[in-house]
Amino acid sequence: MVSGSNDSSGYSLGCICFLQHSGSRPSKMSSNVITLYDTPFNTPQSWAPNIWRIRFILNYKRIPYRTVWVELSDVESTLRSIGAPPTSVRSDSRPVYTLPVIYDPLRSRSRPAILSNAHTIAEYLESTYPARPVFPEGSRALQTLFVHHIQDVFAKPLLPILVPLSHQRLPERSQVHFQGSAPSSQMPGPQREQAWRAVKEQFDFLAVMLDKNSPPDGDGVVAMGRDVSYADFALCSVLIWIERVSPHDGWPRVRQWNGGRWARLWESPI
């Protein structure tokens, strides 16, 4: 585990991802900081994009927090034990529990806020801790649409490449728990190259859209033109996933695509 300062001034978007605050296994709640529930690889290292969106916001807003690491096989039992709401409900009415989840006792120790779903948490953190906003005025609807695109369209071609790589890095208990429900073998070379071409098509399209923010309208790097926002955190969360699970293949490709745009985003000062 790595502890970090809440002061993110002078950092880049890439650097802020290393401000992983104190981590622990599930234990008695802390009453003076937010608890972020995250799932680790076989070492306590954050990797899941949806959870990174929340970690980015906490770091950027300099909100004190700690991480509780929960193996995927223990997510439902752990979240039920703290009274976290389910993320969704199956067709047979059974609740579905997923991460991220936060436990926030800072506003009321007698009635702490316990929230699930990344976008719900993002909205809560913005309204409860408005300093250093991630939703500039009037941008909430468009940013929500942008994040939906990143999650449901942009990242989709990455799934057959990164899901097997992620599965291989899970703790053994979690690997066994998901045996058969997640692909555990990598694609053969020609198939993998075809998959990366589909990924690049999404990056190319997004690059064309973001280029519309070039000077004088913006810096041509971040989604809102000049100000770092929730949209950038959603995009950088995907970049982190690539960098964490495919550091020697996927990340070197992405860094040099579109004239180095994605490396520039990663290195953008905040």
Side-chain angles (χ1 to χ4, degrees), residues 67-136:
T67 300
V68 166
W69 300 107
V70 184
E71 289 197 25
L72 289 174
S73 50
D74 298 327
V75 166
E76 181 171 347
S77 61
T78 300
L79 298 189
R80 282 181 178 273
S81 74
I82 65 169
T87 311
S88 61
V89 178
R90 296 183 180 92
S91 58
D92 60 3
S93 300
R94 288 183 299 155
V96 177
Y97 291 88
T98 62
L99 300 174
V101 162
I102 66 164
Y103 176 98
D104 181 6
L106 299 180
R107 287 295 176 263
S108 173
R109 294 189 180 186
S110 61
R111 298 186 63 184
I114 307 174
L115 297 102
S116 60
N117 183 289
H119 193 69
T120 300
I121 296 170
E123 295 262 10
Y124 168 82
L125 292 174
E126 180 75 347
S127 61
T128 308
Y129 304 96
R132 308 200 83 203
V134 299
F135 289 100

Side-chain angles (χ1 to χ4, degrees), residues 6 31 43 45 52 64 72 78 80 84 100-103 105 123 127 131 149 162 177 191 195 232 249 258-259 270:
N6 287 328
S31 61
T43 59
Q45 183 184 57
W52 259 114
L72 289 174
T78 300
R80 282 181 178 273
V101 162
I102 66 164
Y103 176 98
E123 295 262 10
S127 61
H149 174 80
L162 298 189
H177 181 78
Q191 224 178 318
D232 299 303
D249 179 23
N258 308 115
I270 58 173

Side-chain angles (χ1 to χ4, degrees), residues 16-244:
I16 199 175
C17 80
F18 294 104
L19 297 180
Q20 293 192 166
H21 291 224
S22 58
S24 65
R25 294 291 175 183
S27 60
K28 186 177 179 180
M29 298 292 182
S30 173
S31 61
N32 57 357
V33 295
I34 287 175
T35 299
L36 171 65
Y37 288 80
D38 197 348
T39 190
F41 277 151
N42 46 26
T43 59
Q45 183 184 57
S46 187
W47 59 275
N50 278 357
I51 304 174
W52 259 114
R53 279 154 55 185
I54 303 309
R55 192 178 289 277
F56 264 123
I57 294 173
L58 291 166
N59 287 343
Y60 180 72
K61 286 180 172 288
R62 306 169 186 170
I63 301 171
Y65 73 97
R66 69 174 190 136
T67 300
V68 166
W69 300 107
V70 184
E71 289 197 25
L72 289 174
S73 50
D74 298 327
V75 166
E76 181 171 347
S77 61
T78 300
L79 298 189
R80 282 181 178 273
S81 74
I82 65 169
T87 311
S88 61
V89 178
R90 296 183 180 92
S91 58
D92 60 3
S93 300
R94 288 183 299 155
V96 177
Y97 291 88
T98 62
L99 300 174
V101 162
I102 66 164
Y103 176 98
D104 181 6
L106 299 180
R107 287 295 176 263
S108 173
R109 294 189 180 186
S110 61
R111 298 186 63 184
I114 307 174
L115 297 102
S116 60
N117 183 289
H119 193 69
T120 300
I121 296 170
E123 295 262 10
Y124 168 82
L125 292 174
E126 180 75 347
S127 61
T128 308
Y129 304 96
R132 308 200 83 203
V134 299
F135 289 100
E137 186 177 354
S139 73
R140 200 168 297 237
L142 287 177
Q143 285 207 68
T144 301
L145 184 60
F146 183 95
V147 172
H148 175 78
H149 174 80
I150 293 297
Q151 180 174 296
D152 291 356
V153 179
F154 176 80
K156 191 173 181 179
L158 282 163
L159 298 182
I161 304 171
L162 298 189
V163 168
L165 293 173
S166 301
H167 185 265
Q168 292 167 11
R169 288 164 173 74
L170 292 174
E172 186 175 352
R173 283 180 60 240
S174 291
Q175 286 194 36
V176 171
H177 181 78
F178 284 98
Q179 198 70 42
S181 63
S184 56
S185 60
Q186 297 183 49
M187 292 181 291
Q191 224 178 318
R192 187 170 65 251
E193 290 305 314
Q194 184 177 357
W196 277 115
R197 285 194 292 272
V199 172
K200 188 173 186 300
E201 287 178 7
Q202 290 296 327
F203 275 84
D204 289 345
F205 174 81
L206 190 60
V208 170
M209 296 300 103
L210 293 176
D211 278 343
K212 296 182 183 297
N213 280 339
S214 296
D217 288 340
D219 62 12
V221 178
V222 297
M224 288 297 300
R226 299 187 190 280
D227 298 322
V228 170
S229 66
Y230 181 52
D232 299 303
F233 296 161
L235 176 52
C236 281
S237 295
V238 176
L239 299 183
I240 289 173
W241 189 26
I242 297 169
E243 188 271 339
R244 290 282 161 92

